Amino acid sequence: MRVERRQPTLEQRVLHFIQQYHLVSSQDKLLVAVSGGQDSVCLLHILVKLREELGIRLHVAHLNHQLRGAESEADAHYVADLAHRLDIPATIEQRDVKAYQAKQRISLEEAAREVRYTFLAQVAKSIGANRVAVGHTADDHIETILMHLIRGTGTRGLRGLQPSVTWQFSGNSLTVIRPLLPVSREETASYCHYHQLMPRLDTSNLSLSPLRNRIRHQLLPLLKSYNPRVVEALLRTARIAGDDLAFLDKESTR
C-alpha cells in the first residue's frame, strides 16, 4: 500500500525557513512592514499564525509615501483595519517622499526606499524591536539578480536577496529579515484569496518606468521564451554564488 506524502502548507514552509536561517528568537518583538499589497499581507497573516510557536510579539508598520493620492490614503486605512482585526498594534505614518527626493537629488525609487527604511528603523527603535520582517518573495529575489546583472555585478550581486541583512544608514541600524523568500508571488496571491484578505493593488507596480517593473513585465517573460526554466537556472546560480562566498569568507578567517 502506497502512502502519499502530504505537501507542507505555506505556513509550515515559512516556519521551516525561519528556523533554518534563525531569523527570529523567542521573546523577540518583531516589526512587520505592511504596505497593504498581497505579499506583505500574506506575511503578516502567516506570522500571526506562527507567533505562539515562535514565541514572538508582532507590531505592524505602514508608511504612506504620499505618491498616489487617495490610493495611498486607502492603503493606510486598509492596513490599519487589518491590524485592528488581527489585534496587532500598528504605527501608521506618512512622509513627503518627493520633497526628500528633491533635497537629495536622487531617483524617486531611491528616495522612497531611503525614507521607508529610515521610518522602519525609527519605529523599531521606538518599540524595542531588533528586526523588521518584509514581504520579499522568490520573484523579488529573481528580479534583483537580473537587476544586478544588467547594472554589472560580481559574485555578491549574483546571490540576490538574502534571508537577513543588517543595514547601516543615516545613523540608523536595521536588521531586515525575509521570511517569504522561498515563496512565489503566485502563492501569496492564492493565500490571500483563500483567506479572503483582499489586499490592495499598488497601480505603480504596473508602470514600466522603474527598471524592476520592466524586468518583471518585459524581460522575464522574454527570457522564459528562450528557456522556460530560466527561473530555476537563476536560482541555481544564486545558490552557487552564495556557496562560493561562504567558502571564501570561511577561508579568509582562518
Side-chain angles (χ1 to χ4, degrees):
M1 180 178 178
R2 195 175 76 178
V3 178
E4 291 188 8
R5 285 188 175 183
R6 295 181 61 183
Q7 291 295 318
T9 65
L10 201 59
E11 292 95 336
Q12 290 169 337
R13 286 168 54 200
V14 171
L15 175 62
H16 174 73
F17 189 77
I18 290 173
Q19 293 173 333
Q20 179 183 2
Y21 289 97
H22 310 289
L23 298 185
V24 300
S25 301
S26 182
Q27 305 306 313
D28 271 357
K29 180 177 282 189
L30 181 63
L31 185 64
V32 187
V34 182
S35 67
Q38 67 182 45
D39 298 338
S40 61
V41 168
C42 173
L43 172 64
L44 176 62
H45 202 263
I46 288 176
L47 288 174
V48 168
K49 290 189 172 187
L50 298 178
R51 60 181 166 179
E52 286 191 14
E53 187 163 359
L54 292 170
I56 57 175
R57 293 169 292 156
L58 303 174
H59 189 107
V60 166
H62 172 85
L63 182 66
N64 178 350
H65 296 75
Q66 297 182 294
L67 295 174
R68 294 178 290 115
E71 192 176 304
S72 294
E73 294 287 343
D75 290 349
H77 287 302
Y78 171 84
V79 174
D81 180 65
L82 178 64
H84 177 73
R85 286 189 283 116
L86 294 173
D87 195 26
I88 306 294
T91 299
I92 298 176
E93 297 182 9
Q94 60 184 29
R95 298 282 190 279
D96 191 338
V97 171
K98 283 191 175 179
Y100 181 85
Q101 177 198 14
K103 182 179 179 181
Q104 300 297 323
R105 298 182 180 180
I106 55 179
S107 72
L108 187 61
E109 291 76 27
E110 288 176 304
R113 183 171 58 252
E114 289 184 15
V115 170
R116 179 168 61 254
Y117 281 105
T118 298
F119 161 72
L120 292 172
Q122 291 169 346
V123 176
K125 184 177 180 180
S126 71
I127 67 169
N130 59 7
R131 57 195 62 199
V132 55
V134 298
H136 293 152
T137 65
D139 296 77
D140 295 298
H141 182 39
I142 293 298
E143 292 160 9
T144 298
I145 294 169
L146 288 173
M147 187 179 296
H148 289 170
L149 280 169
I150 290 168
R151 290 174 171 170
T153 187
T155 306
R156 290 195 183 277
L158 289 176
R159 292 186 308 167
L161 298 176
Q162 296 301 291
S164 68
V165 61
T166 299
W167 287 339
Q168 305 281 345
F169 57 94
S170 305
N172 296 295
S173 175
L174 185 67
T175 297
V176 176
I177 64 170
R178 302 180 173 109
L180 293 187
L181 215 49
V183 177
S184 72
R185 196 172 287 138
E186 182 180 0
E187 288 176 305
T188 66
S190 296
Y191 184 92
C192 289
H193 177 74
Y194 179 80
H195 291 281
Q196 300 182 321
L197 297 173
M198 295 181 288
R200 298 283 299 165
L201 172 64
D202 183 349
T203 55
S204 66
N205 288 331
L206 304 177
S207 168
L208 294 180
S209 295
L211 174 59
R212 182 177 291 274
N213 287 0
R214 295 199 298 278
I215 289 172
R216 179 180 304 173
H217 298 299
Q218 295 179 330
L219 180 57
L220 259 175
L222 179 62
L223 290 175
K224 287 177 181 177
S225 72
Y226 284 91
N227 177 7
R229 304 183 70 174
V230 68
V231 167
E232 295 174 35
L234 288 167
L235 289 174
R236 187 166 58 250
T237 298
R239 285 193 297 270
I240 293 169
D243 290 343
D244 288 349
L245 284 169
F247 173 78
L248 291 172
D249 289 343
K250 182 180 178 181
E251 290 297 305
S252 67
T253 58
R254 285 188 174 183

